[in-house]
Amino acid sequence: MRKRIHSMLLAIAFLALGSGCTGKFTDINKNPYDFSESDLKGDFQLMGAPITQAQLYLLRYNDPPTAQLQQNLNADIFSGYMMSPTPFEGNINNMNYGLLYYWNVHPWNEAYRWVMKPCVFTQQKAGDKYPDFYAWATIMKVEAMHRISDIFGPIIYKHFGEINNDNVFEYDSQQQAYYTFFHDLDTAINLLTDYVNRGNPQRFQAFDLVYKGDYIKWIKFANTLRLRLAIRINGADAAKARKEGEAALKHPLGLLQEAKENFAVDISPVTHPLNIMCYTWADLRMSAPMESILTGYNDPRLPHYFVHTDEGQDIYHGIRNGIRISLKEQYTGYSKLARLENRIQFMAAAEAWFLKAEAALNGWEGAGSAVYNYEKGVSTSFDQYSITNVDDYLKNDSSRPKPYVDPNNKENNVPAGSKHLSRITIKWEEQATQAEKLERIITQKWIAMFPEGQEAWTEFRRTGYPKLFPVVINNSNNTISTEKFIRRLPFPQIEEVTNPQALGRARKMLSAGDNGGTRLWWDTK
């Protein structure tokens, strides 16, 4: 089946990407696999295979060098999850805010070429005749493109593929994009719910690398995604956030609840690209904040995330972000990632409980109890790794993140009493301030979402939690504040060449310049 799907993906790539070619070019470049659209309609291949591709390219599953630039050397590092011991480009690179345009084009290109195009292709072919496939493509499109908006801000979304009167592809502001995400999710949820309620057959099992064709799980994921985006914009647009969040909370099929419902793409037999980066290239190690928080809490998830050093069974070392590295060998002995299974996780079910906990802090109807949701979030994360002692962990009211000590260079240390070192404990405290409750929720959410750095970086920017350590070296030429951290990536330079007029208007949608220090629309903390 897997080999058949990959063949279909190649065929779909011709159909989807060839649509912009001239007639002569199409005649010359015949599809070598000899699939016609009538062939692909059998067994719903025409609609299903493109979404298989979209799932596999949310993070480039089969090309670790591209995946490294697509997410690892930006969001995975900026989130405080990981750090590289490699002094790329003479140690002037993303990790110390010397942003490299030829690195940072990859998130944009991968999303538009290999996810957005296939999703739109499926929507066009599905139309009104196949509402389940239309809804599925729509959910995938929002999942992919909200990530891109959370990197760059304004994006080409609502009018994707449409050339306006100025012969350009027009951008949406981030607010416009988010409003369209909500509209699209509402449409998809309603279509798929109605389809399920009517008892119609479930038809995309052969193509679904996440839930194996379980439509109810897709509805629950879409509801959770809607709540994620609603929580995200609460600081910028509280009324819209409440409306969308409560719609997600009130849906009869609910949100993701159990670890077995995690949104994770099965890439078997290909290994996770982070395994290649860490073990084959030695380009990836534990971060300093991970060491501080997980060892400080004596967190039982630690050995499931990272490997102890050669110094001993309980010794873990992380690398601080944005430091002076002259030789790679200085830091390759620090803690590696624990080997990841052949699934790429984009949403843990634990996140749904933490979203509900924050919704309860906001007073949203249907959110339930903040403490119940918080503790369910932690226990669901523990369940993911078959860890059983969650009650003892949740009762811990004394453990805090530890000061950080770099054995190689004391310049990188974060001592006790530093403003960058969190004092938050694990046990829920009902008498705590709203800020303390939020820090507790987001800190545990950050732990539970690992290794999904894109969402972790986004939530850090939105809330300021968990407390991370600022870069030691800042090569941004004063465009990024060391204390305020990086807020976004600049627009890719390819847009300067191919879509300059629209890009100029998009830059005016930003609150400041097109640089890494400019806050996005929802970034109001």
Side-chain angles (χ1 to χ4, degrees):
M1 175 56 71
R2 181 69 59 131
K3 187 177 291 185
R4 181 186 181 194
I5 287 175
H6 282 299
S7 296
M8 288 299 174
L9 291 181
L10 291 169
I12 291 297
F14 265 83
L15 291 172
L17 300 180
S19 59
C21 302
T22 66
K24 184 177 180 181
F25 184 85
T26 304
D27 290 339
I28 294 171
N29 290 273
K30 294 291 185 182
N31 181 357
Y33 296 92
D34 293 324
F35 285 107
S36 67
E37 288 203 14
S38 60
D39 295 326
L40 290 168
K41 283 179 181 176
D43 299 326
F44 307 104
Q45 294 285 350
L46 185 62
M47 276 87 64
I51 306 306
T52 303
Q53 175 178 299
Q55 291 175 343
L56 289 168
Y57 285 79
L58 283 171
L59 180 67
R60 190 74 174 261
Y61 79 110
N62 61 350
D63 184 1
T66 297
Q68 186 177 37
L69 299 178
Q70 183 183 357
Q71 177 165 322
N72 183 250
L73 290 175
N74 50 74
D76 289 346
I77 305 295
F78 302 152
S79 67
Y81 276 167
M82 309 169 203
M83 178 56 185
S84 178
T86 308
F88 297 103
E89 303 295 331
N91 207 41
I92 301 175
N93 54 62
N94 282 6
M95 294 178 287
N96 48 53
Y97 299 165
L99 303 182
L100 301 173
Y101 72 88
Y102 46 92
W103 283 14
N104 296 329
V105 68
H106 286 276
W108 183 275
N109 283 352
E110 293 301 303
Y112 279 106
R113 183 177 299 159
W114 301 114
V115 184
M116 188 69 164
K117 278 188 176 181
C119 289
V120 171
F121 180 87
T122 291
Q123 287 179 313
Q124 291 170 343
K125 297 302 177 183
D128 296 332
K129 190 174 181 181
Y130 305 100
D132 49 340
F133 281 93
Y134 184 93
W136 190 30
T138 302
I139 295 167
M140 278 298 304
K141 188 170 75 168
V142 175
E143 163 62 12
M145 298 313 297
H146 93 79
R147 294 162 58 84
I148 301 307
S149 182
D150 292 341
I151 295 171
F152 298 101
I155 58 170
I156 301 165
Y157 182 77
K158 186 174 182 179
H159 302 292
F160 174 78
E162 301 175 12
I163 300 178
N164 69 9
N165 292 334
D166 295 329
N167 202 36
V168 300
F169 296 99
E170 202 62 69
Y171 284 72
D172 299 308
S173 69
Q174 188 169 51
Q175 182 178 15
Q176 291 168 336
Y178 260 72
Y179 271 48
T180 310
F181 296 155
F182 290 127
H183 172 271
D184 287 355
L185 284 174
D186 185 67
T187 298
I189 291 165
N190 288 337
L191 282 173
L192 212 51
T193 302
D194 182 64
Y195 190 89
V196 168
N197 288 341
R198 290 175 182 270
N200 289 319
Q202 299 191 6
R203 302 184 289 194
F204 49 72
Q205 181 177 0
F207 314 103
D208 182 4
L209 304 179
V210 180
Y211 294 129
K212 299 180 180 178
D214 188 329
Y215 285 29
I216 290 176
K217 286 181 181 175
W218 274 100
I219 295 168
K220 293 169 75 172
F221 168 69
N223 285 329
T224 309
L225 180 57
R226 188 177 192 173
L227 182 58
R228 171 195 276 182
L229 301 186
I231 288 287
R232 177 138 314 139
I233 70 167
N234 190 51
D237 193 342
K240 180 66 171 175
R242 178 184 287 269
K243 178 182 177 182
E244 298 295 338
E246 290 183 346
L249 290 164
K250 293 175 183 177
H251 191 278
L253 292 177
L255 311 175
L256 302 178
Q257 291 185 299
E258 301 175 271
K260 64 183 180 181
E261 296 176 325
N262 288 357
F263 185 94
V265 178
D266 183 359
I267 62 171
S268 301
V270 178
T271 190
H272 199 298
L274 291 178
N275 291 337
I276 302 296
M277 297 173 210
C278 183
Y279 286 90
T280 305
W281 304 338
D283 274 350
L284 202 55
R285 293 295 183 264
M286 181 188 206
S287 72
M290 269 289 181
E291 178 193 334
S292 169
I293 293 173
L294 294 184
T295 61
Y297 287 160
N298 194 25
D299 198 300
R301 288 166 288 190
L302 176 54
H304 295 273
Y305 289 4
F306 299 99
V307 177
H308 62 80
T309 69
D310 292 339
E311 297 174 47
Q313 188 73 25
D314 298 320
I315 305 300
Y316 294 84
H317 285 317
I319 309 173
R320 184 167 171 180
N321 199 5
I323 62 173
R324 303 179 196 280
I325 302 177
S326 55
L327 294 173
K328 183 173 185 174
E329 291 72 22
Q330 288 178 281
Y331 290 97
T332 51
Y334 284 37
S335 293
K336 301 178 179 71
L337 276 67
R339 286 190 181 272
L340 293 149
E341 64 179 0
N342 298 345
R343 297 179 71 87
I344 301 178
Q345 178 179 294
F346 295 97
M347 181 185 284
E351 181 187 340
W353 293 105
F354 293 118
L355 290 169
K356 287 184 71 176
E358 188 171 348
L361 289 188
N362 295 340
W364 292 357
E365 188 176 339
S369 158
V371 59
Y372 177 82
N373 293 328
Y374 170 79
E375 292 181 347
K376 281 289 290 183
V378 175
S379 64
T380 302
S381 180
F382 273 45
D383 288 345
Q384 182 173 340
Y385 301 98
S386 301
I387 302 169
T388 57
N389 58 335
V390 68
D391 290 339
D392 291 341
Y393 184 85
L394 288 170
K395 291 174 184 176
N396 188 331
D397 61 358
S398 59
S399 295
R400 293 178 171 85
K402 284 184 177 179
Y404 171 72
V405 177
D406 185 346
N408 276 335
N409 187 347
K410 65 181 182 181
E411 178 188 27
N412 304 328
N413 293 353
V414 181
S418 168
K419 65 181 179 180
H420 301 297
L421 191 65
S422 176
R423 300 288 297 162
I424 204 70
T425 55
I426 299 166
K427 184 179 178 181
W428 185 264
E429 296 179 9
E430 198 57 51
Q431 73 278 13
T433 66
Q434 288 291 95
E436 289 169 334
K437 289 177 180 177
L438 182 61
E439 181 177 3
R440 190 164 274 118
I441 291 168
I442 300 300
T443 300
Q444 286 297 326
K445 182 180 179 182
W446 179 83
I447 297 171
M449 290 192 298
F450 182 84
E452 180 14 42
Q454 177 57 52
E455 190 61 21
W457 177 39
T458 298
E459 286 295 86
F460 169 72
R461 288 176 287 162
R462 180 181 70 87
T463 66
Y465 303 127
K467 288 190 175 181
L468 302 180
F469 308 148
V471 295
V472 177
I473 304 169
N474 186 330
N475 285 314
S476 71
N477 293 320
N478 297 317
T479 59
I480 303 171
S481 166
T482 299
E483 290 296 322
K484 294 179 181 177
F485 296 79
I486 185 168
R487 314 312 294 185
R488 62 183 289 273
L489 291 181
F491 289 118
Q493 288 197 349
I494 188 67
E495 285 290 286
E496 291 271 16
V497 177
T498 61
N499 201 25
Q501 286 181 282
L503 179 62
R505 289 193 282 270
R507 284 173 169 155
K508 292 178 182 178
M509 298 173 185
L510 297 170
S511 60
D514 181 14
N515 58 63
T518 294
R519 294 179 181 274
L520 302 182
W521 167 65
W522 47 252
D523 183 0
T524 61
K525 75 166 189 67

